[in-house]
Amino acid sequence: MKEKSLVRRLFTILICAILTLAVSLLPGVSLRAEGGETLMIGVPKDRCPIFYSDASTNEITGIGVDLMRAAAEEAGYRAEFCIIEEANLKDALDNPEYDVILPFGSAIESTSGQSSIVSENLIQTPFTLVTTGNRNLPSFNNLKVGMLKSLSGAADTVHELYPGIEIKMYETMPECVKALRKGEVDALLHNSYVWSYVLQKPSYSDLKVQPSQMFSMDFRAGTTDTPEGKEIISRLDRGIVALSDTRKQAVILDHTSRKLYQYTISDYLYEYGALLLLIALLFIALVIIAIQRSYTVRKEQEEKMQEMIDHDPLTGVLSMSGFRKRVEILLHEHPDIPYLLAFVNIKNFKYINDSFGRDAGDDLLKFWAEKTMETLSEEEAMCRIGADRFAVLRRLGGDEKLINDDENVVESVRNYFIDRGKDNRVQICGGVYVLTSEDYKNADVDHMLDFARVTEKRVRETRSDGYEFYNPEQWERGKQIANVVNYLHTAMKSGDIRVWYQPQVDYETGKITGAEALCRWKHANLNWISPADFIPTLEEAGLIYDLDSFVWERVCQDLHRWNEAGIKRCVSVNVSRCDVNKERDIAEIFRKLVQTYKLTPDQLSIEITETAFAENAEMLFSATEKLREYGFKVEMDDFGSGYSSLHMLKEVSVDRIKLDLRFLTDAGDQKKGHIIIGYMVRMIHSLGMEIITEGVETAEQADFLLAEGSPEMQGYYFYRPMPVEEFDVLSENWKKTE
Ligand code: C2E
Ligand code: MG
Ligand code: MG
């Protein structure tokens, strides 16, 4: 009985074993072993969608992974995947940590020479060529193809299939694309599934798949050809065979339909670069506008503040600080205008305020400011220093101007209340300071105002009303010079205006070579007045030509006289910038003069100051040209005084340059001044022009100029300007020495 039951049990076990084997051999029937052995499978990375890491779980996944996992499970394994760290499959084969490796097209030899075995084909993977634009590719056997280094196994298979193909390997996909664009290869070869991912990159939009050039490769698992390897592969084969096509297609569809491509910053830049640039520019423009706006607002506020500081709120005229600035500017811009500075004060202002109220006092101040402003020109200024005190910078005129001011402004202020039916005469006290040449060099407004203030105080303390001058002699002098306009013609006729001569010498030979004619005005009270004092006034009044033509004629008369006496001399005459204008042809005027006095044109040198050339270039250039055509010598006077000296040298052709030593050595480093003069001399000579230096006051200066090759000189060291009588005597002496 016991024996019978044992045989029955053994039979049952046998039947079960046979059934299990039968089921395992049937396709589609799972051999799944719950909690089976773990199979370590090495896969390459970055070959999306075949192998990639899932963005959310960070796990290795992909078509290859899912298919392999299914096959392994079918074979009773628990599949675990890891990334192959080696550069290629051949190297990876030598690493015993991987049980199997994916993907192989066929069996290959490992780097160390071990042979491998491969599994059944998991899927047929299509390989496609990609190239730029519509390139016509040669046949596969003559192609130059670029591939990733990690595909070296596949490359070997391709080589076997197409022995004529040339394959170049690159580290990364961007390097592959670069090589393709540079023409190093005809096309790139990769798995079609990978292309479907890679070509989503916006900057690869020029790459096109070549559908005609396609072939497929096997996708197998591989390992070294060892007994264990063989065992794994044979088990895996069974799992692979167990996978149905539908299941494989489902895995492929699952991964190819996912939105796997992740845009990188460079992709966004490529795709939306122009838009981003536009937005950035817009943003920058907005920032700039905002900064500018805030700057303008700040500037406007500052200007408003400054305006408030610089102006008196009651009367609207300048405040003391505004006046200081304005006076400094005026004196700097108009060194030729003679000015006076008046400090004026209402003596009985307290009484006015007490009797008629503060408003009435304010109205009086406003009236005064208004009246004064009506008489002032652009070059004059007024301020309210405070309370009832005003200061005025006024152009110096003659007595007439003072009387006018007194009648039009001061008198109407005096009668302000009387004219409004109230019995009060406003008492005004003033002190006047006449500016000296020093005040123009150093415009210290407070200092000048102090003089006027002291004088006003004296008036206030000694008289009920009126004004006095702080420096009456200066006033007399200024007044007389201002009056030159009225006396010019009388002075010319009476002989008060004369021509003096300053000899010019050749320091090398010691001989007098010519002279400059300089006018002098002998004033009844002021003795000899220098032309520098009155010429600006005459120029302004439009009378300079009257003076100059008088001087030129006198010079021609003297030259004629010397010619008659057998001394042929050359004289330089000054031409004012105002003499040259549209209506006046000065070349013609000089031509007539030499004709009248039977002179030769080379006896006259026409001096035109350098700054005049800069101011009125066109007219002076043509006048110069014409004068030279007629045979007159033209000289550029005061060379070195302006800011455009060198520029002028280039622009205009003159016969002689008159360097003014005073401008060139006045301030700054004397040594440097000398170096500059040395270079100037050489430069002027190189330009084919003659040089004369004026303002030579010492033997050292003369020696230096001679050493520099410029012997023609004029200056106090040799002779001062002298009346014609003295010059005649000198002329006589030349005659004797010649
Ligand atoms: P400018 O034409 O440059 O004349 C030279 C000035 O330098 C003269 O001054 C002369 O006396 C002075 N000078 C000459 N050698 C020396 C020196 O060694 N040291 C110093 N410190 N000064 C020296 P002046 O006669 O007072 O004439 C001043 C300016 O007035 C002249 O400068 C010229 O531009 C102008 N000027 C003189 N006469 C006339 C004229 O008849 N018509 C015109 N339009 N301007 C004239
Ligand atoms: Mg001159
Ligand atoms: Mg000069």
Side-chain angles (χ1 to χ4, degrees), residues 516 518 574 607 637-638 658 694:
E516 177 174 8
L518 297 159
N574 288 287
E607 286 191 15
D637 199 2
D638 305 328
K658 200 163 190 187
E694 66 179 323

Side-chain angles (χ1 to χ4, degrees), residues 47-52 61-66 103 125 191 193-194 219:
R47 208 171 289 181
C48 192
I50 300 181
F51 307 107
Y52 62 96
T61 181
I63 298 170
V65 173
D66 283 1
T125 50
N191 188 302
Y193 300 131
V194 178
F219 189 89

